[in-house]
Amino acid sequence: RLRALLSPRNQFCFLNLTDNLIMLAKQKGLTRRAALLYQKALVHEILINAPMRFGNLVGLNIHRHIKRIENGRSVRIILAIPEFEVKNGEYLEYELPAHAIRLLDDYLETYRPILQKGEDAGWLFPGAIEGRHKNEVTLREQLCKAVKKHTGLIVNPHLYRHVAAFFYLQAN
């Protein structure tokens, strides 16, 4: 399935999915549907820049896993997942690029509250059940459908790790 990304057109479509989903979300105003589009954009962007297992992504908690480092006007965001939460026992740490930080901040400030039910337990992707994160199967299906609909590509969350390696090897 990576072979499809050898096409510059497919690479363009895949890498611009974030912007397309954001544009669609902004057209829908501050609705639940807009918030879900924005959430998919964020998931897509995180998986490209932080190729972690999907279970770790779904379980991201803004209090435990997202480290914000501010120095004057510059902001850095580190996604840090301790080794005891990772399947292979390896500590994970990813620094998000500036455009992903802006996306994350906009999601946290504007769209995540729309999706939040009841008391805030800190989940980056809050679930339908109060105090729980979003169901992994639900988020997986939503992401796969969005990728297929807007790019024509078939990409599952596990493949994102290979896609990230593919783009890294192309650039380096």
Side-chain angles (χ1 to χ4, degrees):
R1 285 192 246 150
L2 282 176
R3 193 170 295 130
L5 290 172
L6 291 172
S7 158
R9 181 192 168 283
N10 287 344
Q11 284 185 26
F12 179 82
C13 287
F14 187 76
L15 293 173
N16 282 314
L17 178 60
T18 300
D19 291 337
N20 290 339
L21 293 173
I22 290 170
M23 182 185 66
L24 290 169
K26 292 190 185 255
Q27 289 172 358
K28 298 195 179 302
L30 296 178
T31 64
R32 180 169 171 71
R33 182 148 170 78
L36 289 171
L37 285 165
Y38 218 89
Q39 184 179 75
K40 287 179 264 193
L42 180 62
V43 168
H44 176 74
E45 197 63 34
I46 289 174
L47 287 175
I48 289 172
N49 290 289
M52 65 186 75
R53 286 186 172 85
F54 200 64
N56 289 116
L57 176 96
V58 173
L60 287 175
N61 187 287
I62 58 177
H63 307 299
R64 285 197 331 262
H65 302 115
I66 299 175
K67 311 299 180 204
R68 180 183 279 293
I69 304 162
E70 297 186 33
N71 186 8
R73 291 188 320 186
S74 79
V75 175
R76 295 174 58 205
I77 298 269
I78 309 291
L79 300 180
I81 305 170
E83 57 278 354
F84 60 86
E85 292 182 28
V86 179
K87 183 178 177 182
N88 65 3
E90 295 288 326
Y91 174 79
L92 298 179
E93 185 174 280
Y94 303 99
E95 183 168 355
L96 295 179
H99 66 277
I101 293 171
R102 287 189 299 275
L103 178 66
L104 175 65
D105 286 345
D106 199 20
Y107 171 77
L108 291 172
E109 184 178 319
T110 306
Y111 295 99
R112 183 176 170 272
I114 296 169
L115 300 171
Q116 187 68 46
K117 294 193 187 313
E119 189 174 325
D120 187 356
W123 300 114
L124 182 57
F125 306 112
I129 300 171
E130 184 178 339
R132 306 274 318 259
H133 59 71
K134 190 163 193 164
N135 181 284
E136 189 174 334
V137 173
T138 302
L139 191 56
R140 176 183 286 116
E141 287 175 1
Q142 290 173 342
L143 178 63
C144 291
K145 284 179 185 175
V147 172
K148 176 71 172 154
K149 179 179 179 179
H150 298 285
T151 70
L153 300 170
I154 298 172
V155 178
N156 62 40
H158 180 77
L159 192 61
Y160 270 87
R161 295 167 69 203
H162 299 281
V163 169
F166 172 82
F167 286 133
Y168 176 82
L169 291 173
Q170 267 197 327
N172 298 290

